Amino acid sequence: MDEIVLACQEAIESLKSSSKLSAFEIDQIKSEFLGKKSELTSRFKSLKDLPGSERQAAGQKLNQIRQALEAVIVNAHADLEKAKIDAELSIKIDPTMQARQKRQGSLHPLTLAYMELSQIFTSMGFDVVEGPEIETPYRNFFALNFPENHPAITMHDTFHLTEQDLLLRTHTSTVQVHAMAKHQPPLRIATPGKVYRCDHDATHSPMFNQVECLVIDEDCNFSQVKWLLVKLCEAYLGKALEYRFRPSFFPFTEPSAELDIRWNGKWLELAGCGMVHPNVLKEAKIDTQKYRGFAFGVGIDRLAMLKYGINDLRVLYENHVDFLKQFNESL
Ligand code: PHE
């Protein structure tokens, strides 16, 4: 074998014995023995100086040397790869060791409720939109036909911001005002979101969630709002309900009603609804001769409490892991 091939093999062997063999080092040896400045290349270059009769044989010999060198390099790479695999396989594993517990988070029940209700609305052809939580008294009250001195406006149940004449919205009905300002009828929107009132006990929280629905069209009527509201609750709760509509009052709807459902032998208040008051439509410059509307607002927290059998609303906001992890299944 030619001395160059031997030298190359030795170079590889010495790297192996000093355990410095790496792909980079192998490539360095490759360029040393096969590269432009290698002895082999200069021998190829000097072929032209040989007499014609010797040139062919010498050329063949050099080609054999090149092949032999290339084989040494390829083998070195293969050995390296094998050594890596052997090292990985030789790691001892203990199959009896206990596995690390996988901790999987879950979506909050209210997030699940938002998602499910939005899906139901979308499947019924509604646009699901959101509105701001900080509002002007105009959008929260006056555009919705609240008289100037309506008790709901007092500090008692509204969080007013001190800096400007702004407040935290007390209901999602504000989004009706936004929607009517932006779009001409026919309108079909659903808007879930957080609302704020100064209330705090087992069934009231100062921040809670509602989903509002507004439809404005040429032939809206009260039986449609009743049907839609009941269907929405039944679709979300997954069962037929025993319910009643109680006449009620909201400044922005006329006539107005509240929906109660029978739950564990008691009537539970779940939603407010009604035909949009003509004053609200007029304020939004909607032709009341042509269009009518209906709206309802449902408490999302109440719905979630019913769905999951929760007695105290406050657990929804306390973030106890033991409570929340029960919703893993729902993912
Ligand atoms: N905004 C009312 C509330 O928060 C609910 C409601 C919405 C009533 C739409 C009628 C129509 O109590």
Side-chain angles (χ1 to χ4, degrees), residues 21-174:
L21 191 72
S22 70
F24 176 72
E25 306 272 0
I26 297 173
D27 287 337
Q28 268 191 333
I29 293 182
K30 182 179 175 186
S31 78
E32 189 184 328
F33 285 89
L34 284 158
K36 277 187 198 143
K37 290 185 189 149
S38 66
E39 196 189 321
L40 185 69
T41 306
S42 65
R43 282 206 213 169
F44 266 111
K45 278 184 189 152
S46 52
L47 275 181
K48 63 178 183 326
D49 304 329
L50 290 178
S53 55
E54 289 173 29
R55 213 179 284 156
Q56 196 187 2
Q60 274 174 357
K61 173 117 198 292
L62 287 183
N63 273 329
Q64 279 167 4
I65 294 174
R66 182 163 54 196
Q67 279 166 8
L69 281 174
E70 281 168 354
V72 171
I73 298 296
V74 168
N75 286 341
H77 275 299
D79 286 351
L80 182 67
E81 206 48 36
K82 185 171 174 298
K84 267 194 211 155
I85 293 171
D86 285 348
E88 274 168 26
L89 289 177
S90 71
I91 296 172
K92 293 212 170 55
I93 55 162
D94 176 1
T96 62
M97 200 169 105
Q98 214 170 14
R100 240 181 254 152
Q101 230 191 340
K102 198 167 120 208
R103 295 249 224 138
Q104 190 175 19
S106 55
L107 292 178
H108 191 277
L110 288 175
T111 307
L112 291 170
Y114 264 62
M115 286 163 52
E116 284 171 43
L117 289 165
S118 300
Q119 254 166 23
I120 298 169
F121 272 116
T122 310
S123 72
M124 289 173 164
F126 281 79
D127 278 336
V128 178
V129 296
E130 282 182 21
E133 288 167 31
I134 295 176
E135 269 300 356
T136 57
Y138 174 75
R139 284 201 204 90
N140 199 85
F141 298 119
F142 306 124
L144 292 167
N145 197 37
F146 279 75
E148 190 105 348
N149 295 313
H150 195 279
I153 306 170
T154 63
M155 283 297 280
H156 178 71
D157 55 10
T158 306
F159 290 107
H160 291 269
L161 305 187
T162 46
E163 311 263 306
Q164 293 140 321
D165 192 14
L166 291 172
L167 45 85
L168 296 180
R169 67 179 177 189
T170 61
H171 52 178
T172 42
S173 301
T174 50

Side-chain angles (χ1 to χ4, degrees), residues 144 146 170-174 176 195 197 208 210-213 249-250 252-253 256-258 269 271-275 294-298:
L144 292 167
F146 279 75
T170 61
H171 52 178
T172 42
S173 301
T174 50
Q176 292 191 23
V195 300
R197 290 182 205 174
F208 58 103
Q210 288 187 329
V211 61
E212 183 96 3
C213 163
F249 172 79
F250 299 102
F252 39 96
T253 46
S256 308
E258 274 173 84
E269 189 186 309
C273 67
M275 297 303 294
F294 64 73
F296 64 76
V298 193

